[in-house]
Amino acid sequence: MKTSHRVATVVGGAIGLAATGAAIAITAAKRRDAKGSLEEKLGLLEPDRVRSVTLEDGVEISVEEVDPADGGRPELTLAYVHGFAVSRKCWHFQRRDLAGSTSPRVRQVLFDLRCHGLSSRGVAASCTIEQLAKDLSAVLTSVVPGGPIVLIGHSMGGMTIMALAEQEPELFADRICGVVLIATSAGELGRRGLPRPLLSRYNPLTRGVGRLAGWQPGLVEFIRAAGGGITRRAVRSFAFGHRDVSPGLVDFLVEMLAVTPVGVLTDFADTFGTHNRYAALAGLRPTHVLVISGDEDLITPFPHAERIAEELPDAELVRARGAGHMVMLEQPSLVNDHVRLLLQQCVYGPGTARRKWWRRG
């Protein structure tokens, strides 16, 4: 059955909808935010609380919480799941801007995945998307024991949310009212005629880097440290769109990537090849779903977002014109505008069966 579309265009901060159907909204957005220089220091926002969650295998997950800026009572919790090889710092603009939201007020929870950021290393066998989903469940149980939740995941973080829906679909029917999937994929699609993600086990570049790192990880570390200029150009090319991007954003991403050991990169390499969560997407249907992707994403190309939206016909699909893989850094205003709308839908939208938990005192 052919899916109809709604087209939403973002111009100067105003969102206008031209309705040609009601199933999927594709947003064509003008580029903004990434041009010019950044004066603020990225990744240095102070949390209200920091804690550690100890997992069953002894891995320590570093978590921080951010309360509404005005001190009001939060109406729901927004939990962030970052992507491969970066850290929770990548959500800088979302965390900064949504702390000031009053309609609704939002409590924010950010954490570093195992082997990333300030969280501790796990054994190589634990570096799987399935395990990350279990880790996410443990963090939510410990830090968000009650109340409605919205999950937002980038790249591998989005895959982690899909895996959690596969493992605990009842959680999405009961407490998780919204999901934001950014620059991600529901599976290895190289054999389906869609572009192969850079992280695919079938991608020759990924295979080559993995073999080199497997043979001589110390050499790869040395090359990465010594070739700062080359590394920076590679990051600029693969992570962002082709137009002007602030040098500060590129430096920020390089800094996050630089602290991730090559051993971690190789430990996670195999899990991308086995990731196939199209069936698991059914677990997201009780929730509001927002799918955002840049149409210049070389890591997880835009057709992968379209495929997710096809499986979730009530989702909103946002196409960030000219943006690359790190769209939430490159076009934060676009991302934040749509996340705010989803949060409002979760709290103030018309009552349905999927919001029964909201009416329960």
Side-chain angles (χ1 to χ4, degrees):
M1 182 175 68
K2 185 177 180 180
T3 304
S4 58
H5 294 74
R6 286 185 295 121
V7 180
T9 303
V10 177
V11 180
I15 299 177
L17 293 178
T20 59
I24 300 176
I26 296 183
T27 298
K30 290 187 175 181
R31 284 181 61 88
R32 49 183 172 171
D33 301 311
K35 196 172 181 178
S37 61
L38 292 168
E39 296 181 357
E40 66 179 299
K41 298 294 184 180
L42 299 177
L44 298 179
L45 297 171
E46 289 293 329
D48 290 295
R49 290 172 300 284
V50 178
R51 67 169 76 182
S52 180
V53 175
T54 304
L55 304 177
E56 289 185 352
D57 62 356
V59 169
E60 297 285 335
I61 299 296
S62 178
V63 184
E64 59 184 51
E65 301 171 65
V66 181
D67 294 329
D70 67 355
R73 182 178 179 180
E75 296 169 84
L76 76 172
T77 297
L78 178 60
Y80 297 84
V81 193
H82 68 77
F84 178 59
V86 292
S87 71
R88 67 192 186 219
K89 291 182 179 181
C90 71
W91 300 109
H92 176 92
F93 296 114
Q94 288 67 49
R95 174 188 158 173
R96 181 197 67 186
D97 293 351
L98 294 175
S101 173
T102 56
S103 298
R105 290 182 175 85
V106 179
R107 172 188 178 227
Q108 299 180 87
V109 170
L110 305 94
F111 69 98
D112 290 328
L113 297 170
R114 64 172 56 221
C115 307
H116 291 73
L118 298 179
S119 294
S120 65
R121 292 280 295 268
V123 299
S126 73
C127 294
T128 66
I129 292 170
E130 292 80 6
Q131 181 61 53
L132 295 181
K134 295 176 183 177
D135 297 351
L136 171 57
S137 178
V139 169
L140 295 178
T141 298
S142 177
V143 184
V144 197
I149 302 169
V150 170
L151 297 178
I152 177 170
H154 172 254
S155 193
M156 186 172 72
M159 300 175 193
T160 298
I161 293 171
M162 297 175 208
L164 180 62
E166 181 177 60
Q167 295 171 8
E168 301 184 44
E170 68 282 357
L171 187 60
F172 292 79
D174 184 34
R175 292 191 56 208
I176 296 176
C177 58
V179 170
V180 184
L181 301 173
I182 300 178
T184 192
S185 173
E188 173 49 68
L189 304 178
R191 288 170 290 184
R192 294 176 180 267
L194 294 179
R196 294 175 179 175
L198 183 64
L199 297 176
S200 166
R201 62 178 173 176
Y202 300 111
N203 189 301
L205 177 59
T206 304
R207 292 203 309 270
V209 171
R211 283 198 297 267
L212 177 59
W215 293 337
Q216 291 288 343
L219 176 61
V220 176
E221 293 281 15
F222 175 78
I223 293 172
R224 181 165 64 178
I230 298 175
T231 299
R232 191 179 186 283
R233 286 197 294 272
V235 168
R236 169 65 186 86
S237 297
F238 281 105
F240 299 100
H242 75 277
R243 300 184 188 179
D244 291 343
V245 173
S246 164
L249 284 181
V250 180
D251 292 340
F252 180 48
L253 183 54
V254 168
E255 289 171 4
M256 280 191 284
L257 294 170
V259 301
T260 307
V262 168
V264 170
L265 307 185
T266 57
D267 286 347
F268 277 93
D270 287 343
T271 195
F272 296 107
T274 59
H275 171 65
N276 189 327
R277 296 284 170 349
Y278 282 106
L281 291 176
L284 303 182
R285 287 177 183 159
T287 73
H288 295 284
V289 179
L290 170 63
V291 184
I292 304 176
S293 179
D295 60 10
E296 293 184 12
D297 188 340
L298 300 179
I299 308 297
T300 50
F302 186 75
H304 294 275
E306 291 181 305
R307 181 64 193 280
I308 292 172
E310 288 177 4
E311 298 292 329
L312 295 169
D314 291 328
E316 179 185 5
L317 175 60
V318 179
R319 180 173 191 150
R321 296 287 185 185
H325 192 60
M326 300 303 293
V327 59
M328 72 281 199
L329 289 174
E330 193 173 0
Q331 296 189 20
S333 295
L334 167 67
V335 172
N336 295 352
D337 286 348
H338 283 275
V339 171
R340 285 191 188 94
L341 288 175
L342 181 136
L343 295 172
Q344 290 168 359
Q345 290 170 2
C346 287
V347 176
Y348 308 123
T352 65
R354 62 185 170 193
R355 279 182 289 279
K356 286 188 293 185
W357 50 263
W358 188 255
R359 297 196 294 271
R360 292 201 296 260

